[in-house]
Amino acid sequence: MTASRQVPGALAAIEREDPRLRAFLDVWREEALARLPGASRLPLAGLPFAVKGPAGIRSYAARRLIAAGGVPVGSTSVPGPGTYWQTWGLGAHGRTVNPWRPDRTPGGSSAGSAVAVAAGLVELATGSDGAGSVRIPAAWCGVFGLKTTNGLLPSPDRSGLASAGVLARSTAHAHLYLRCVLDTYEPAVTELPLRAVYSPDLGYADVDPEVEAVVRGAVRRLAAAGVIRLADTGCELLDPAAAWQAVRAGRAAAPDEELRRENDRRLDALFTDTPLLLTPVTPNRPHGHEGPGELFSTALTWVFNLSGHPAASVPAGFTADGCPVGLHLVARRGADVALLGMAGAAERVLTGLRP
């Protein structure tokens, strides 16, 4: 589809679908159409994209996408005042709903970005991930999500936990994102099978058995297709909850730093001869808008915000009640482009897994 049709098509879809999905805070119709003539002559040729939250248009990634010919069509929902556990997105029309299960949350905090991509309103949207804020909504909305290596791209987060990310319909669109936002983009060759370690719980998480069964089934399909060769070892880490919370609050003490160093040592040892670690993205399925109770949906994601590794969510399948589940792929620090290649190989096997 040409640029002259892509942007108007995205705007029309948003106008039609967003009152139901509530994925957008703001839609920039006039500005998007005005950008088209200049954007159509650049590499992205007017590709419409969405940005996370009110400040998303000022992010480094958004500026680079615009410079490459992307056209921002609006800002997507993030948690609003008083919605910490009630919903992970508050759009212009109300709380953001999961496109697969409107009675469930889409996850967050990149809630609207995930929903906009899942509903086909845009092909990609920017996000940021400080504890799983890209990967969790990607998993729960059945789209691809990437958290980049900490520090690879500029981040306003003083704690160092948050890194830029992207939510996309496919790994191919995520490749477009990296080509635009990285100063140097070197394609990586993915040699199959990939040596991989699978850990259902990283040694500490309490995982919903049906979620784990969906992910384990996806891992088996990848092995049967020759994409991965599973190592005999697992991955046992220390529960990072207290350390993450302490770092986020700016009060990390010696025990928190030692836990962080110990997990780093274990991960460094794993990635010495294994390019890929696989887990579920979340220990639970999407919860209702009333909140998760005592559950931490971040249990399997925030450890990699502490360690800084790039990590991605690939759609793995669905639970019996129609909730999407994500397969978590983690690679060595700095191996973001290689991780996209690995995720693409997995995606080709797992594509089309719908209830």
Side-chain angles (χ1 to χ4, degrees), residues 9 20 72 80 102 110 120 137 159 183 207 225 270 290 293 308 313-314 341 352:
R20 172 178 63 89
S110 305
S159 73
D183 289 331
V207 179
L270 184 150
E290 74 283 355
S313 176
V314 171

Side-chain angles (χ1 to χ4, degrees), residues 122-192:
V122 291
E123 296 298 317
L124 66 85
T126 65
S128 58
D129 190 314
S133 294
V134 164
R135 291 162 288 162
I136 293 170
W140 285 356
C141 292
V143 299
F144 179 77
L146 171 71
K147 174 197 101 63
T148 56
T149 298
N150 291 36
L152 180 69
L153 298 170
S155 169
D157 179 35
R158 294 181 180 179
S159 73
L161 293 171
S163 57
V166 63
L167 296 110
R169 292 286 287 177
S170 69
T171 56
H173 288 92
H175 274 291
L176 285 178
Y177 169 90
L178 278 190
R179 284 193 185 98
C180 293
V181 301
L182 296 181
D183 289 331
T184 303
Y185 178 92
E186 295 290 341
V189 176
T190 305
E191 296 184 0
L192 305 179

Side-chain angles (χ1 to χ4, degrees), residues 164-244:
V166 63
L167 296 110
R169 292 286 287 177
S170 69
T171 56
H173 288 92
H175 274 291
L176 285 178
Y177 169 90
L178 278 190
R179 284 193 185 98
C180 293
V181 301
L182 296 181
D183 289 331
T184 303
Y185 178 92
E186 295 290 341
V189 176
T190 305
E191 296 184 0
L192 305 179
L194 295 157
R195 179 176 167 83
V197 165
Y198 173 60
S199 177
D201 56 12
L202 292 177
Y204 59 79
D206 183 13
V207 179
D208 178 330
E210 191 173 352
V211 169
E212 200 278 319
V214 171
V215 174
R216 188 178 292 274
V219 171
R220 286 172 176 159
R221 284 190 288 274
L222 295 180
V227 172
I228 61 172
R229 184 178 72 255
L230 284 175
D232 294 332
T233 58
C235 181
E236 301 279 325
L237 301 178
L238 303 176
D239 188 343
W244 185 95

Side-chain angles (χ1 to χ4, degrees), residues 18-314:
D18 200 53
R20 172 178 63 89
L21 298 169
R22 306 154 199 168
F24 280 84
L25 287 168
D26 223 349
V27 180
W28 306 318
R29 180 178 180 82
E30 288 73 22
E31 297 94 325
L33 293 173
R35 288 183 189 271
L36 266 181
S40 62
R41 296 188 293 270
L42 297 169
L44 289 183
L47 178 75
F49 71 96
V51 300
K52 176 184 177 179
I57 193 65
R58 299 193 297 273
S59 70
Y60 178 84
R63 296 198 306 270
R64 294 295 292 260
L65 290 169
I66 292 169
V71 175
V73 294
S75 61
T76 58
S77 66
V78 291
T83 61
Y84 183 68
W85 288 121
Q86 283 67 45
T87 176
W88 283 108
L90 188 63
H93 299 285
R95 71 184 185 192
T96 310
V97 301
N98 191 305
W100 292 98
R101 288 284 306 264
D103 62 323
R104 307 291 176 93
T105 175
S109 60
S110 305
S113 287
V115 173
V117 172
L121 307 183
V122 291
E123 296 298 317
L124 66 85
T126 65
S128 58
D129 190 314
S133 294
V134 164
R135 291 162 288 162
I136 293 170
W140 285 356
C141 292
V143 299
F144 179 77
L146 171 71
K147 174 197 101 63
T148 56
T149 298
N150 291 36
L152 180 69
L153 298 170
S155 169
D157 179 35
R158 294 181 180 179
S159 73
L161 293 171
S163 57
V166 63
L167 296 110
R169 292 286 287 177
S170 69
T171 56
H173 288 92
H175 274 291
L176 285 178
Y177 169 90
L178 278 190
R179 284 193 185 98
C180 293
V181 301
L182 296 181
D183 289 331
T184 303
Y185 178 92
E186 295 290 341
V189 176
T190 305
E191 296 184 0
L192 305 179
L194 295 157
R195 179 176 167 83
V197 165
Y198 173 60
S199 177
D201 56 12
L202 292 177
Y204 59 79
D206 183 13
V207 179
D208 178 330
E210 191 173 352
V211 169
E212 200 278 319
V214 171
V215 174
R216 188 178 292 274
V219 171
R220 286 172 176 159
R221 284 190 288 274
L222 295 180
V227 172
I228 61 172
R229 184 178 72 255
L230 284 175
D232 294 332
T233 58
C235 181
E236 301 279 325
L237 301 178
L238 303 176
D239 188 343
W244 185 95
Q245 291 164 350
V247 171
R248 186 67 172 174
R251 52 172 173 77
D256 305 307
E257 294 302 332
E258 178 51 36
L259 183 148
R260 193 174 185 178
R261 285 192 294 270
E262 178 57 28
N263 277 347
D264 282 351
R265 283 192 288 268
R266 296 183 187 188
L267 289 168
D268 288 346
L270 184 150
F271 286 118
T272 296
D273 60 0
T274 303
L276 187 61
L277 170 61
L278 303 171
T279 78
V281 174
T282 65
N284 53 319
R285 66 192 80 192
H287 54 75
H289 293 280
E290 74 283 355
E294 299 300 314
L295 293 172
F296 279 99
S297 304
T298 54
L300 296 166
T301 52
W302 55 7
V303 65
F304 302 110
N305 296 91
L306 279 170
S307 69
H309 291 82
S313 176
V314 171

